[in-house]
Amino acid sequence: MRGLVYHGPGRISWDTVPDPSIQEATDALVRVEAATVCGSDLHIRRGDLPEVRPGTVLGHEAVGEVIEVGSEVHERRPGDQVIVSAVSGCGRCAPCRDSRYGQCRGGGGWVLGNVIDGTQAEYVRVPFADHATHRRPAQLSLDDAVLLAEVLPTAYEVGVRKGRVGPGDTVVVVGAGPVGLAAVAVARLYAPRRIVSVDLSDARLRAALRLGADAAELPGRLLADLSDGPGADVVIEAAGGPDSFLLATRAVRAGGRLANIGHHGKPATLHLESLWRRNVTISTGQVDTSSTPWLIDLLSLGRLTVSPLVTHRFGLDRAEDAYDTFSSGPDTGALKVLLHRRTPPAEQRRTGRELAPA
C-alpha cells in the first residue's frame, strides 16, 4: 500500500510501505476513506517528538471501512463504517476503567502515527478496535465524522469540560486554529454569557465569528478590554505557545479556570509570583475520546455544527501538499485539511480547496 512516512525532522514522503495485518486478537484493519492532518503531526515533522521513529506512517485520525477483525473484536465486523479515534484504550487497565483512555497502561493511549503506523495511508491497523472505533451513522457526513476522531473530543474534554464552562460565564479561547474553533462551537452549548476568540490571523478570527464567538479580537485588544473588568471566568489555551500561555494566565480572573489544550513544543513560563494568590485553577490533559459517542449524537441530531472547520481537501497521495497548506493556515485560511481516498474534482485537485456549496 501507500502511506505518508516520517523520515526524520523536516522529511516526509508518500511511499510504498508494507500492508498492515492483524497482529493482536483485538486489532481491526480499516480501509481509510478520509484522514486529516493535526497540529501534532506538524510537531512530529519538525522533530519535536523524538520518540517517533523514522519509517513511521503518520496520522491518528480517520474514517473508513472495517475489512478484517481479530478473534477478540466483538463490536465491529467487516463492512462497518467507522470513525477511528486518535486514542486507543485497552479497556482493562485502571485508567481505561475510569474512561481515561489517553492514559492507558495496557498498550494503548496515543499510539497511531506515534508508536505504530498511523492513518495517513490507504489502510491502517487499529489496536483495541472495540474501544478505538465508533460506528459512523449513515446520516453523518464524512467531513463531520473525521472531526470526531480527535478535534471535537479534545475541544470538549480538555477545554470545555476541564474548564467547567457554565451558564453566564465569560469564556476566552486563545488560538483560533481547528481545536480552538471547535472549543468555541462546543462551549456555545453551555449558555455562556460571552465567548471571545483571540488570534493573530484575521481569517481565523472571521471563522470564529461564524462558529459562534460573540467577539473575535487581537491579543492586545483582549487585554485592554479585560483590564476594565474582572477577567474571564474560563480561558481555554488552544495555541500551544509560550506567549499564548502567558496571555491566558493574564486573561483569567481571580478564582477562574485556565484549561490548556495547546500542544507545547517549547517550555512555557508559569508566573506563580503573580498567580499564587489568585485562586486560579490550571488544567492540562491528553484527550481520552470517551465523549465521542455523545458528540456523535449531537452532530447526528443537528445540535452542533462544525463542518465549516473543513476548508481544504486533497487526495491521500497529496499529503505532503496538505501538510504545507495546513502549516501555513494563518496565511492560506486553512483550518482542517482532509485527505480523501477518492480524487477530488478537477478544481479541488488544482487548488486543494473545498468548493463552496451552490
Side-chain angles (χ1 to χ4, degrees):
M1 72 169 188
R2 304 276 281 177
L4 186 70
V5 180
Y6 173 68
H7 294 288
R11 295 185 294 125
I12 58 174
S13 59
W14 182 250
D15 297 341
T16 299
V17 295
D19 292 346
S21 60
I22 298 291
Q23 296 182 22
E24 303 288 343
T26 53
D27 289 348
L29 297 184
V30 174
R31 179 181 185 265
V32 175
E33 294 295 334
T36 187
V37 182
C38 175
S40 299
D41 297 323
L42 299 183
H43 281 284
I44 293 172
R45 186 176 69 166
R46 287 197 296 264
D48 293 341
L49 278 75
E51 65 269 24
V52 180
R53 299 187 306 273
T56 301
V57 174
L58 297 179
H60 49 270
E61 306 165 73
V63 177
E65 179 181 342
V66 175
I67 60 169
E68 186 179 351
V69 297
S71 59
E72 292 301 316
V73 176
H74 305 293
E75 303 296 325
R76 305 291 173 259
R77 62 183 63 184
D80 283 351
Q81 296 293 319
V82 295
I83 298 159
V84 178
S85 284
V87 169
S88 307
C90 73
R92 299 186 301 271
C93 67
C96 283
R97 291 197 300 272
D98 196 31
S99 298
R100 294 185 291 118
Y101 305 125
Q103 305 301 319
C104 176
R105 298 175 187 169
W110 174 28
V111 295
L112 289 170
N114 182 12
V115 179
I116 66 173
D117 286 340
T119 59
Q120 291 165 7
E122 294 174 323
Y123 297 88
V124 61
R125 176 178 75 90
V126 181
F128 308 117
D130 279 339
H131 300 283
T133 64
H134 303 271
R135 284 195 181 90
R136 171 191 167 198
Q139 70 271 30
L140 196 63
S141 72
L142 198 63
D143 291 359
D144 283 346
V146 80
L147 296 174
L148 287 158
E150 183 184 39
V151 171
L152 281 172
T154 299
Y156 170 63
E157 295 173 13
V158 188
V160 173
R161 188 167 68 188
K162 286 201 170 185
R164 304 201 309 277
V165 174
D169 281 344
T170 293
V171 180
V172 170
V173 181
V174 180
V179 176
L181 292 173
V184 168
V186 178
R188 189 87 266 163
L189 299 172
Y190 290 83
R193 183 176 72 86
R194 188 172 183 234
I195 300 176
V196 181
S197 177
V198 183
D199 203 277
L200 295 171
S201 165
D202 289 338
R204 290 187 165 185
L205 292 176
R206 290 192 295 270
L209 293 173
R210 292 195 297 271
L211 281 157
D214 298 292
E217 302 175 356
L218 296 171
R221 169 78 180 279
L222 168 76
L223 289 178
D225 287 349
L226 291 177
S227 65
D228 296 329
D233 300 289
V234 182
V235 178
I236 296 173
E237 198 288 322
D243 292 340
S244 59
F245 182 77
L246 176 61
L247 174 65
T249 63
R250 293 175 64 187
V252 68
R253 68 166 172 82
R257 288 91 64 195
L258 193 168
N260 185 91
I261 298 178
H263 184 151
H264 290 268
K266 297 179 181 179
T269 301
L270 178 63
H271 286 282
L272 284 175
E273 76 279 5
S274 60
L275 286 171
W276 70 270
R277 66 179 190 175
R278 291 176 55 203
N279 292 7
V280 171
T281 299
I282 298 176
S283 61
T284 66
Q286 162 75 57
V287 66
D288 297 308
T289 67
S290 58
S291 64
T292 303
W294 176 68
L295 291 166
I296 288 173
D297 286 344
L298 286 180
L299 287 175
S300 299
L301 294 170
R303 304 292 175 85
L304 182 63
T305 300
V306 290
S307 53
L309 285 172
V310 177
T311 56
H312 291 66
R313 297 167 181 258
F314 294 85
L316 273 168
D317 60 349
R318 292 189 59 207
E320 295 168 74
D321 294 334
Y323 269 67
D324 292 339
T325 298
F326 181 60
S327 65
S328 302
D331 300 318
T332 62
L335 295 174
K336 206 61 178 167
V337 173
L338 254 63
L339 302 172
H340 271 270
R341 171 176 286 273
R342 298 179 181 87
T343 304
E347 179 63 16
Q348 292 182 29
R349 190 166 59 249
R350 182 177 66 81
T351 65
R353 183 180 294 274
E354 181 181 21
L355 297 179

